[in-house]
């Protein structure tokens, strides 16, 4: 294996591990409720939050 | 609730209206070039030839209609999901001007024959440089709005929006690297097979970062808004997002199967293309499962019809695409009319149906009124659906026949048909496609009329209220 192949393989492995970590975190018990929260919160977004000072 | 105080929405109106203008241009030119193929005597050199008009059609469609409305909805959605007004409405106004200047310059320069000869990256370096400025302005405004957000967690659409901003920037810069030899001509910085590889890495990721991630951002936002029910699973959305991003960037070489790029690059592209079915269908299932108990809305709510048919075409597209990425299948359909069938199920079916829904949803809210006519919106739906299906199905049949003829050999191994014989057989299909295009155009005109009346009605109401 030449150095370029080792490099490609390394990058691929790192990306794959990053992906596996994202899956593990997203589906962890601790993160379950938090992970679903945004879908409820987005249903009510008619106005900016109070502490916002719109310039327009 | 119609009042949306505090968000910079005037600029959204501007982008929506201009994207509809460019969308009309794209479809008009598209219908005209479909007639040029069916009736070659309609080519009028030098400006009104198929060769000059085709890139105008694709640029007006993908960049004028597509990117124009993505800009509108990214601004609309980002503000709402962050519960924060736009970082700089002034910058967004400049962006709208520059956007229109760029698209107009693109149309003029392409008509004059200035072309880098790279598909979807045709614009010569002065115009391409303006595109870079435009994108930087846009990205800075959206990213800064997200940075100062007042919602801690980011809804899935925001992830797709960020991916689009980063992805398009990287792809555009790399594939547009060129050496200018004059104000109107440049040559690619890459050569030979490398150039082809970079071009299709860009080309397919234009599909990913322009024709997939933005409509997904819009779909994930507007489906719950239209149905009034949250998306089925946010976490499935997140995983689908990351796996889509992980896989898409490797697939470009499926456009170069059997070409002189390394075999392993082709195999890699093939494998990742097939794997893409999983994240793509995760989005489709997320959409379908969100409809649990809500399927009656397909009858009652015209917005839902557009969105669910849109995601269905996305699902079909992401089954057909991976099939086309397999060497044997590609050998059959590549260089045939099958491919425009695939393209237009994606652009007219998936992308445009979702955009129509988003426009129908937002315009009445932005103008504090109701849609002018739900009946016309339904007529619009059936016309564009019929037009698109006639177009795509005709092209798939044409592609199979064309492929079979191109591959037919005599016992001694020589080709059974000459190229021109295969072309002549395609005329009936080209007539059908032109008909499909006319029906689609009729649908689009109904849509534009409906939106025009909605806005005009709102203005009249506002004047009456003030009087
Ligand atoms: C899993 C997802 C997808 C895969 C693997 C895929 C695969 C492919 C392949 C292999 C081709 C080349 C066909 C050939 O010339 O032989 C192609 C063309 C194309 N696809 Fe897809 N596709 C996918 C989804 C989509 C979507 C969602 C769209 C949205 C509109 C789309 C738009 C296009 C376009 C515009 C082209 C034409 C490129 C050209 O000008 O040659 N595709 N696709």
């Amino acid at each position: 294996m030449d150095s370029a192949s080792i490099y490609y393989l390394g990058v691929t492995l790192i990306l794959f591990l990053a992906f596996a970590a994202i899956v593990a975190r997203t589906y962890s018990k601790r993160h379950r409720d938090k992970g679903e929260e945004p879908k409820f919160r987005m249903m009510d977004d008619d106005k900016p939050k109070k502490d916002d000072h719109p310039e327009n | 609730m119609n009042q949306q105080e505090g968000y910079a929405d005037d600029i959204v109106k501007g982008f929506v209206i201009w994207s509809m203008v460019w969308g009309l241009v794209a479809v008009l030119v598209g219908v005209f070039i479909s007639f040029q193929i069916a009736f070659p005597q309609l080519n009028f050199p030098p400006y009104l030839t198929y060769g000059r008009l085709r890139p105008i059609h694709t640029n007006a469609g993908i960049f004028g209609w597509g990117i124009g409305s993505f800009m509108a909805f990214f601004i609309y959605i980002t503000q709402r999901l962050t519960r924060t007004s736009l970082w700089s409405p002034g910058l967004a106004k400049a962006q709208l001007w520059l956007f229109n200047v760029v698209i107009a310059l693109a149309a003029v320069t392409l008509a004059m024959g200035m072309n880098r000869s790279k598909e979807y990256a045709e614009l010569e370096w002065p115009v391409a440089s303006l595109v870079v400025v435009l994108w930087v302005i846009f990205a800075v405004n959206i990213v800064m709005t997200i940075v100062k957000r007042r919602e801690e967690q980011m809804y899935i659409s925001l992830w797709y929006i960020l991916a689009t901003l980063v992805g398009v920037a990287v792809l555009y810069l790399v594939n547009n690297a060129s050496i200018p030899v004059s104000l109107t001509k440049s040559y690619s910085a890459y050569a030979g097979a490398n150039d082809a590889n970079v071009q299709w890495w860009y080309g397919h990721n234009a599909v990913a970062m322009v024709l997939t991630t933005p409509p997904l951002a819009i779909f994930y936002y507007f489906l719950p808004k239209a149905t009034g029910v949250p998306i089925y699973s946010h976490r499935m959305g997140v995983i689908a997002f990351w796996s889509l991003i992980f896989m898409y960037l490797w697939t470009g070489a499926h456009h170069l199967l059997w070409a002189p790029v390394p075999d392993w690059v082709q195999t890699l592209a093939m494998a990742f293309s097939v794997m893409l079915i999983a994240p793509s269908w995760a989005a489709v299932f997320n959409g379908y499962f969100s409809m649990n108990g809500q399927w009656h809305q397909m009858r009652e709510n015209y917005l839902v019809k557009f969105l669910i048919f849109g995601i269905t075409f996305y699902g079909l597209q992401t089954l057909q695409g991976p099939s086309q990425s397999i060497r044997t299948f590609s050998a059959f359909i590549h260089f045939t009319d099958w491919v425009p069938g695939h393209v237009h199920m994606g652009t007219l079916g998936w992308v445009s149906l979702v955009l129509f829904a988003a426009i129908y949803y937002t315009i009445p809210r932005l103008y504090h009124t109701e849609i002018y006519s739900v009946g016309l919106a339904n007529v619009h739906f059936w016309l564009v659906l019929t037009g698109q299906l006639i177009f795509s199905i005709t092209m798939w049949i044409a592609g199979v026949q064309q492929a079979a003829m191109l591959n037919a050999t005599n016992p001694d191994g020589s080709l059974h048909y000459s190229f021109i014989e295969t072309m002549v057989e395609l005329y009936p299909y080209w007539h059908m496609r032109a008909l499909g295009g006319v029906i689609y155009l009729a649908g689009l005109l109904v849509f534009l009329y409906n939106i025009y009346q909605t806005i005009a009605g709102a203005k009249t109401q506002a004047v009456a209220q003030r009087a």
Side-chain angles (χ1 to χ4, degrees), chain B residues 58 148 163 206 326 407-408:
Chain B
T58 54
K148 64 167 200 147
I326 294 169
N407 282 290

Side-chain angles (χ1 to χ4, degrees), chain B residues 127-164:
Chain B
V127 188
S129 307
L130 287 179
V131 173
V132 174
V133 176
L134 176 67
W135 201 258
V136 170
I137 293 178
F138 177 42
V140 166
N141 218 349
I142 296 289
V143 170
M144 287 310 294
T145 309
I146 295 177
V147 166
K148 64 167 200 147
R149 70 184 184 276
R150 288 177 163 73
E151 274 293 336
E152 185 203 341
Q153 291 215 53
M154 290 180 18
Y155 182 67
I156 185 67
S157 298
L158 288 176
W159 288 103
Y160 279 109
I161 287 173
L162 283 174
T164 306

Side-chain angles (χ1 to χ4, degrees), chain A residues 15 19 22-23 26-27 32 34-36 39 41-49 51-52 54-56, chain B residues 1 5-8 80 83 85 87 150-151 153 221 224-225 228 231-235 239 243 246:
Chain A
L15 287 176
F19 177 62
I22 293 170
V23 176
T26 307
Y27 278 94
R32 196 174 56 198
K34 215 173 169 205
E36 292 298 342
K39 78 178 185 194
R41 297 179 69 87
M42 64 83 69
M43 298 302 287
D44 172 30
D45 60 6
D46 276 347
K47 280 183 195 158
K49 276 199 176 161
D51 55 339
D52 188 28
E55 311 88 61
N56 56 315
Chain B
M1 179 170 169
E5 306 89 350
Y7 293 130
R80 281 159 178 81
R83 304 287 300 273
S85 58
W87 182 63
R150 288 177 163 73
E151 274 293 336
Q153 291 215 53
Y221 183 81
K225 291 289 177 182
I231 197 80
Y232 168 71
S233 168
H234 190 256
R235 287 181 305 157
I239 298 301
S243 38
F246 179 65

